[in-house]
Amino acid sequence: MADLRITTTGGTDTVLDEATVQGFKTSVRGSLLRPGDAGYDEARTVWNGMIDRRPALIVRCAGVADVIHAVNFARTNNLLVSVRGGDHSLAGHSVCAGGLMIDLSPMKSVRVDPTKQIARAEGGARWRDFDHEVQAFGLATTGGTDADTGIAGLTLGGGLGWLAGKYGLACDNLLSADVVTADGRLLTASTTENADLFWGLRGGSGNFGIVTSFEYQLHRVGPVLAGMVIHPFERAKEVLRFYRDFSTAIPDEVNTMGALLTTPEGLRVAAIAVCYNGSIEEGEKVLRPLREFGPPLADQISPLPYTVLQAMMATMFPRRRQYYWKASLMNHLSDDAIDTMLEYFSAVPSPHTVMGFQQLGNAVNRVGPDETAFSHREALYDFLMLSGWEDPSEAERNIRWTRELNDAIQPFLHGGIYVNAFTEDSKQGIRAAYRPKTYERLVALKNKYDPTNLFRLNPNIKPTV
Ligand SMILES: Cc1cc2nc3c(=O)[nH]c(=O)nc-3n(C[C@H](O)[C@H](O)[C@H](O)COP(=O)(O)OP(=O)(O)OC[C@H]3O[C@@H](n4cnc5c(N)ncnc54)[C@H](O)[C@@H]3O)c2cc1C
């Protein structure tokens, strides 16, 4: 090892001598990687192919002790820090340029207590790991709709998913979390211990520390009645109007997504995807109007193991494609909003781009706005503008289209955003992710737990001390 140039929180570089870096290396059970080391490029590679950053050091943590050593090392040397969970942040927050990347991806264990219906999962697990373990006991909890996404970032931002109609957000099912805070302490946060921190972890993103493990409430789930109905784009207006009416009058067992997309065969279509989480017989009755409407070009709804449903979306958004996404919350889908969507989708520049809605869910809407840091509880949908393309030279055209759509759709939106869709170029700014009172409370929490803003590569709540 030689002396190491590394970026500080102030954005300037500093040099760490070889002995200092070597001391850190021997203090951890996992590995410490520098540019050129085997595994370095793999460890810095995140889901979004637009992101290409080179940390000066990557610590691949093997356990809680490594996370504590990494936080202490970063704080003592005033280093720029990024924290990697499942690496699905749109903005690539989990990888920094020039600083220290604290990589939790080796920490994926999931321990299930089937009797108490509780699971404890480490901070680097993805929903694929989690669902695999809990479904062995016929259990699950609300998780992202793409099994490749990390449990950490998703839960800390809220967590929308197929089971949300009945069980709320992923964060609503969080019972406790173990957190390494900026001062290097390991705290447990729950309703009875460090309750202020527990409130902030449920929607405040990665601002308050590194969560080494999450404890979730599980529920009996599966098989589910789920899949998509697909209609020709020419009928999209009626389909989206039907979607609006259907999605606003559903029992808790149902959650929905509505979308405009292009099939692998190159056909533009309007699709409605659903999951019914209850008895298949009852689900057949509840979903009948959806399946009869049209009729659809294709009806792919069938009884499925929950893990099969969860695996479907990862194929739609493969790793390392170029992505530029915008999303904003929506309360009501008006006819004018539908017309705007159709106008833009008619000129969509890439067949990999999807426009649509993810429903928050009945149980999500019933939680009070002050109960968790995820405070936009009244919103019905997250309106998604998910642009994807293969050739980097197509970036300008695709980004321009997404931004223009985002501007045009603004009059029909709620005004707030889902924090997990936040990127630094979000026009609304980070405050839009919260009610004003919630934001103030988050700032107070940041002042208490991370006054120097060590954890800043995230939808950042800036401390005021
Ligand atoms: C293809 C795709 C599908 C998606 N589907 C859904 C969906 O169905 N529902 C939904 O709600 N969201 C969804 N999202 C959004 C997703 O919730 C966010 O992108 C989320 O931040 C991803 O978390 P991660 O751990 O994978 O990402 P990362 O990039 O690793 O982390 C995201 C943020 O969390 C911080 N972080 C990561 N791990 C930890 C930790 N252990 N402790 C503290 N902070 C940490 C990071 O520093 C970063 O700021 C989707 C995103 C993608 C790309």
Side-chain angles (χ1 to χ4, degrees), residues 46-47 82-90 92-95 104 123-126 143-146 148-156 158-161 205-207 209-212 214 257 313 317 325 358 418 420-421 457-459:
V46 295
W47 168 82
S82 68
V83 180
R84 172 176 167 159
D87 76 44
H88 270 53
S89 147
L90 265 304
H93 285 136
S94 57
V95 57
L104 270 76
R126 296 176 191 269
T145 53
D146 181 334
D148 201 37
T149 315
I151 65 163
L154 189 131
T155 305
L156 294 170
L160 317 179
S205 196
N207 272 288
I210 302 182
V211 178
T212 54
F214 297 83
M257 292 178 99
M313 202 132 91
F317 302 110
W325 288 7
Q358 180 161 25
Y418 173 30
N420 273 345
L457 291 180
N458 46 42

Side-chain angles (χ1 to χ4, degrees), residues 51-81:
I51 310 293
D52 181 19
R53 298 192 193 122
R54 303 178 67 80
L57 276 181
I58 301 175
V59 54
R60 304 205 70 222
C61 299
V64 175
D66 286 0
V67 177
I68 292 173
H69 287 306
V71 167
N72 287 337
F73 183 75
R75 190 189 59 254
T76 310
N77 294 291
N78 195 25
L79 303 182
L80 178 69
V81 166

Side-chain angles (χ1 to χ4, degrees), residues 111-439:
R111 184 179 184 282
V112 186
D113 181 334
T115 312
K116 291 189 181 148
Q117 300 200 351
I118 284 171
R120 180 169 283 282
E122 282 187 301
R126 296 176 191 269
W127 287 104
R128 175 185 301 118
D129 308 312
F130 186 87
D131 293 337
H132 178 78
E133 294 299 329
V134 299
Q135 274 283 282
F137 304 96
L139 299 168
T141 201
T142 308
T145 53
D146 181 334
D148 201 37
T149 315
I151 65 163
L154 189 131
T155 305
L156 294 170
L160 317 179
W162 288 122
L163 307 178
K166 201 162 180 185
Y167 303 122
L169 299 169
C171 75
D172 296 332
N173 291 281
L174 192 62
L175 297 174
S176 74
D178 282 352
V179 192
V180 177
T181 45
D183 55 9
R185 285 181 302 157
L186 176 72
L187 301 181
T188 295
S190 69
T191 52
T192 52
E193 270 180 277
N194 301 299
D196 58 346
L197 179 59
F198 188 55
W199 172 87
L201 294 177
R202 290 173 292 159
S205 196
N207 272 288
F208 308 109
I210 302 182
V211 178
T212 54
S213 69
F214 297 83
E215 187 188 28
Y216 296 94
Q217 181 67 60
L218 304 174
H219 314 274
R220 292 243 140 255
V221 173
V224 292
L225 183 63
M228 256 198 301
V229 288
I230 297 171
H231 296 266
F233 185 62
E234 293 68 42
R235 300 209 51 209
K237 186 183 278 205
E238 297 95 283
V239 175
L240 291 181
R241 287 177 178 189
F242 171 84
Y243 171 71
R244 169 183 62 204
D245 299 339
F246 180 79
S247 62
T248 44
I250 45 176
D252 290 358
E253 284 76 9
V254 183
N255 205 17
T256 72
M257 292 178 99
L260 301 175
L261 55 99
T262 308
T263 65
E265 298 74 35
L267 195 66
R268 279 185 199 165
V269 296
I272 301 175
V274 280
C275 170
Y276 184 90
N277 158 43
S279 98
I280 300 291
E281 207 180 22
E282 186 57 27
E284 296 279 4
K285 277 190 229 154
V286 172
L287 299 186
R288 188 170 302 132
L290 169 71
R291 303 177 78 178
E292 286 177 351
F293 176 79
L297 279 178
D299 174 356
Q300 301 171 345
I301 295 172
S302 67
L304 297 172
Y306 177 69
T307 45
V308 171
L309 172 67
Q310 287 291 83
M312 280 178 176
M313 202 132 91
T315 57
M316 278 180 84
F317 302 110
R319 294 181 74 78
R320 300 307 289 163
R321 193 175 267 169
Q322 310 280 300
Y323 293 106
Y324 183 80
W325 288 7
K326 290 273 164 216
S328 283
L329 298 171
M330 192 179 240
N331 270 355
H332 170 67
L333 176 54
S334 66
D335 289 349
D336 288 345
I338 291 174
D339 290 345
T340 305
M341 289 175 65
L342 298 181
E343 179 195 331
Y344 275 83
F345 200 74
S346 304
V348 67
S350 165
H352 301 306
T353 293
V354 177
M355 188 194 295
F357 313 90
Q358 180 161 25
Q359 183 158 16
L360 269 69
N362 295 358
V364 179
N365 301 132
R366 288 195 292 265
V367 175
D370 297 330
E371 287 183 46
T372 63
F374 184 101
S375 53
H376 290 315
R377 291 283 176 172
E378 69 291 357
L380 265 184
Y381 316 106
D382 196 21
F383 176 66
L384 310 168
M385 298 159 265
L386 314 180
S387 284
W389 62 97
E390 296 289 355
D391 180 350
S393 72
E394 297 279 300
E396 202 256 321
R397 194 157 73 102
N398 283 281
I399 292 173
R400 188 171 5 99
W401 178 87
T402 320
R403 286 183 174 157
E404 286 172 3
L405 165 63
N406 189 37
D407 286 344
I409 205 80
Q410 285 305 316
F412 312 113
L413 300 176
H414 161 285
I417 57 169
Y418 173 30
V419 72
N420 273 345
F422 176 82
T423 52
E424 273 64 32
D425 70 346
S426 289
K427 274 196 182 152
Q428 298 99 324
I430 184 60
R431 284 170 186 264
Y434 304 103
R435 292 178 165 223
K437 214 169 82 183
T438 310
Y439 188 78

